[in-house]
Amino acid sequence: MIDNSDSNKNKSAHTGSRVAATFQVARAPRNHQNRPKEITAVELPRPTSISTSRRKAERESLRDRAQTKERVRQWASAKSLSFKFYSYSSPLFLFLQFHFQFVFFFHVDAPVIDQQQMANYRTSRSGGGGGGGPMLGGFGFTVRLLASAITVAICFFFALSFFFTSRSHSPHFQANFGFSTGSYGIGSTRRSVLALKSDPLKPRLDQIRKQADDHRSLVLAYASYARKLKLENSKLVRVFADLSRNYTDLISKPSYRALFEIDSLSIDESVLRQFEKEVKERIKATRQMISEAKESFDNQLKIHKLKDTIFAVNEQLTKAKKQGAFSSLISAKSIPKSLHCLAMRLMEERIAHPEKYTDEGKPITPEFEDPKLYHYAIFSDNVLAASVVVNSATKNAKEPWKHVFHVVTDKMNLGAMQVMFKLKDYNGAHIEVKAVEDYKFLNSSYVPVLKQLESANLQKFYFENTLENATKDTTNMKFRNPKYLSILNHLRFYLPEMYPTLHRILFLDDDIVVQKDLTGLWKIDMDGKVNGAVETCFGSFHRYAQYMNFSHPLIKQKFNPKACAWAYGMNFFDLDAWRREKCTEEYHYWQNLNENRTLWKLGTLPPGLITFYSTTKPLDKSWHVLGLGYNPSISMDEIRNAAVVHFNGNMKPWLDIAMNQFKPLWTKYVDYDLDFVQACNFGV
C-alpha cells in the first residue's frame, strides 16, 4: 500500500506558504506614518485594510511566486541528485577502469606464459623436468575471478547507498516508487551515514518555526499598535499578548525543546507532526483574532487620519483668519479718498473765509450751558460721520430747537467741522464745535492716557508694529490701533469737567444713526446710577471675563467674571451722580495700574466697565441696536423699532466694505445737496 505521508508533507508546506502569503497581504503597509515603532521580535508594518481588487492581485502575485519557488526547488533537487550521482559514481568509474586494466593485463600476458610453459613443458618432457605450468594458469584464473567479485560488491554497495540517500531527500521519488517513511525507527534505519549531518526533516522544522515566529511577531505588532492607539485597557491588547506568549511557551515545552537542540542529529517525525499541529492551531486562532481586530483598527486609523486632516485644515483656517482680520482692519481704519477730499475742501473754504466761520471774539451762546435743554456729546474727527449723527437726531426730534450738540474734534479737523456745521441750519438745533486743545486741564500731568503715550514702550508697541507682530493676536488686533490712545476716545471719562453746568448729557458715537426722538431718555429715573446703557450679554457672551484679565489678583478680587457687559455708542450719563461717585478718580486709579497692559487690553470699554461697575442702569434694548457693522443677521423689524442703530464693527457705512442691506440707513442722512459733497464724488 502507498503511504500518503509525503503528499501530506507537500500539502502542509503548501498550506504554510498560503498562510504566510495571507499574512504578507495583511501586513502590506498603506500608510507608513503610523506604523508601530518598537516591538519585541520583528519590526512589522501596521495592519491596514486592503481592497478586494488589491487582495486578488496580491494573491495572484503570491501564487506566481510560489510556483516559481517550487520550480527552483525541483531544479535544485535534480541538480543535487546529479551532483551526488557524479560524486558517488566517480570513484566507481575509476575502480572499474583499474579493474579492466588489471584484467586486460592478465589477459594479454597469459599467452606469453602459456608459450613459455609449453616450451618448458617440451624441455621437461625431453629432459625430464618438473611441471609448474598448471599451477600458474590456475592462479591467473583465480585473480580474475576475485577482481570481478570485488567489482560487483563495490558497485552494489555504491548503488544501494546512492538509492537510499537520494530517496530520503525527494518526496516525489518515494511517491513514484511506492515507498513510505513509516515510523521513525524504519526511517532512521534507511538513512545512511552520509545523511546524518543534514536531516531531511530539518527544513520542515525550520519552516514551521518560521511560521510561528512570523505570527508571533505579527500579534506583537498588533499589540504595540493597539497601545499606540491608546487601547491599553482594551481586551485586544491582552489577547494579542497572550497569543504571543503562547508561541513562546510552545517552543519552550520540554517535549519540543529537543527539536531545536544544535547537537541533535535526528528528528522524531511524530514529535514534529505534533508540534506542527499545535503551531497551526495557534496560527488559526491568531488569524481569526486579527481578522476581528482589523475592522476596529481600521476605524481607529480613519479617526486618526480625519483628526490630522481637521488639524491641518484648522491651521490653514486660522492663518487665513489672521490675514483676513488684518486686511479687514487695514481697510476699516483707512480713510476713503472721498472723505479725505471733503475734509480738505472744507478746510480750504475755512482758510479762504475765516471771518465767516470763526467764533473767536463772539459771546458764548447761552443755550450751550442751559441745563434745561437736551444736550448731546459727540467726539469725532470724521466730518461726514458727525454731520450724519446731528442731521439724523434733528430730523427725528419733535422739538429740534431744544437740542444742543457739543462736537469736539482735534486741531487738524477743527476748521472743516466749523464749516460743515455752518453750512446748514439743522432745523434750529444748537451746535458747538471745539477742539480738544481748548480744554486746558487735559494734559499729561492730569490725564493718565496722555502720560502713558509718552512712554517709550507704548510707542514701540503701537508705532513700530510690523505685519508679523500685528497678526499674532487677532483677537485683540484692533486694540493695537493707535486711535485707542487718542484723547478723543477718552474724553467720555471727563464729561462732568468739560460741562460743569449740566446735570445730564447723552453721549453718542459718530457711527450711529438716530431714528426716533430721544427726549424720552431724560424722563428715565436713573435710581442714583451714573450710566444708562443697553446690556449686550447673552448666554456666556459679552461677560466681564471676556474684557479683563481675571488671572490678575486685583481684577479677580474686585469684579465678577460673569457680570453682564454693556455697550458704548449711546450712553445717558447723570453728571450729578458722576460727581458724587467720583467716577473720574476711579478711572484714573485703574488706568494708572494698567500702564503695562496687564489688567486689560487697550481700549475704552474695559475701563468703562470697571469705572461704572456698580453704577450702570440697564436700558431697554430698543433704545440701542448694535452690530450693523459686523452682523448681517439682524432683523429689519428690530432695526425699525430701534431709537438708535449702531454701526459698530469694521464695516462702517462710509466704507466700500459696508453691508449693502444696512448702508441706506446711514446714507439717507448724508447731505448730498452740499457742493463740497458733490465735488468729492462721495458715494459714487
Side-chain angles (χ1 to χ4, degrees), residues 61-239:
S61 175
L62 289 172
R63 192 181 301 112
D64 294 339
R65 292 180 185 175
Q67 292 176 358
T68 303
K69 288 182 180 180
E70 180 65 20
R71 295 191 190 100
V72 172
R73 190 188 62 78
Q74 292 177 3
W75 175 81
S77 177
K79 186 175 181 181
S80 175
L81 289 175
S82 62
F83 174 78
K84 291 178 181 178
F85 178 79
Y86 175 76
S87 61
Y88 293 155
S89 60
S90 294
L92 178 60
F93 291 154
L94 292 175
F95 180 81
L96 290 175
Q97 183 179 5
F98 170 75
H99 166 67
F100 289 139
Q101 289 178 356
F102 182 80
V103 174
F104 180 75
F105 171 76
F106 280 99
H107 178 71
V108 173
D109 291 345
V112 178
I113 296 174
D114 290 342
Q115 293 175 3
Q116 188 176 5
Q117 182 181 3
M118 292 297 294
N120 292 336
Y121 178 71
R122 293 189 189 101
T123 303
S124 62
R125 288 187 64 181
S126 63
M135 181 184 62
L136 185 59
F139 175 76
F141 176 78
T142 304
V143 170
R144 286 196 300 272
L145 183 61
L146 179 61
S148 299
I150 293 173
T151 301
V152 172
I154 293 175
C155 289
F156 179 79
F157 174 79
F158 276 102
L160 191 64
S161 176
F162 170 75
F163 175 77
F164 284 109
T165 304
S166 62
R167 67 182 292 275
S168 64
H169 288 277
S170 177
H172 303 285
F173 186 85
Q174 297 170 358
N176 293 335
F177 286 89
F179 293 100
S180 61
T181 55
S183 64
Y184 174 73
I186 300 175
S188 61
T189 304
R190 287 200 308 264
R191 298 189 192 100
S192 65
V193 178
L194 297 176
L196 291 177
K197 293 185 178 179
S198 57
D199 197 295
L201 296 177
K202 192 69 175 176
R204 181 177 171 186
L205 176 63
D206 294 340
Q207 184 182 10
I208 296 172
R209 180 165 184 177
K210 185 177 183 302
Q211 291 180 7
D213 290 341
D214 288 345
H215 288 80
R216 176 177 174 272
S217 301
L218 187 61
V219 295
L220 284 175
Y222 270 87
S224 176
Y225 195 70
R227 293 187 185 94
K228 187 176 181 180
L229 293 177
K230 297 181 180 179
L231 298 174
E232 289 86 350
N233 298 327
S234 174
K235 181 181 178 181
L236 288 176
V237 181
R238 296 192 295 273
V239 171

Side-chain angles (χ1 to χ4, degrees), residues 592-611:
N592 286 325
L593 290 177
N594 195 47
E595 183 176 1
N596 295 325
R597 304 179 303 279
T598 57
L599 303 182
W600 68 84
K601 298 297 182 181
L602 290 175
T604 55
L605 182 56
L609 295 175
I610 291 175
T611 302

Side-chain angles (χ1 to χ4, degrees), residues 278-296:
E278 295 192 24
V279 168
K280 288 185 176 181
E281 289 177 355
R282 284 162 174 75
I283 289 176
K284 182 178 179 181
T286 301
R287 293 181 61 186
Q288 183 178 359
M289 180 54 61
I290 288 177
S291 64
E292 294 175 357
K294 279 178 64 65
E295 183 178 357
S296 175

Side-chain angles (χ1 to χ4, degrees), residues 335-346 412 680 682:
I335 300 176
K337 184 178 179 180
S338 56
L339 193 60
H340 179 72
C341 168
L342 178 62
M344 292 298 101
R345 287 186 178 274
L346 292 173
M412 185 175 64
C680 292
F682 192 88

Side-chain angles (χ1 to χ4, degrees), residues 320-333:
K321 281 184 176 180
K322 289 181 180 180
Q323 294 294 336
F326 185 77
S327 300
S328 177
L329 183 65
I330 293 297
S331 62
K333 304 309 175 185

Side-chain angles (χ1 to χ4, degrees), residues 444-487:
S444 58
S445 61
Y446 180 68
V447 180
V449 171
L450 295 177
K451 183 178 180 180
Q452 291 170 8
L453 188 59
E454 298 174 356
S455 171
N457 291 333
L458 201 62
Q459 291 179 4
K460 182 178 180 180
F461 178 78
Y462 280 103
F463 302 110
E464 294 184 12
N465 192 21
T466 61
L467 174 62
E468 180 181 0
N469 293 332
T471 56
K472 283 183 179 178
D473 188 5
T474 55
T475 304
N476 299 294
M477 187 190 303
K478 65 178 183 178
F479 299 126
R480 301 181 70 92
N481 195 318
K483 86 163 196 173
Y484 286 98
L485 280 181
S486 171
I487 188 60

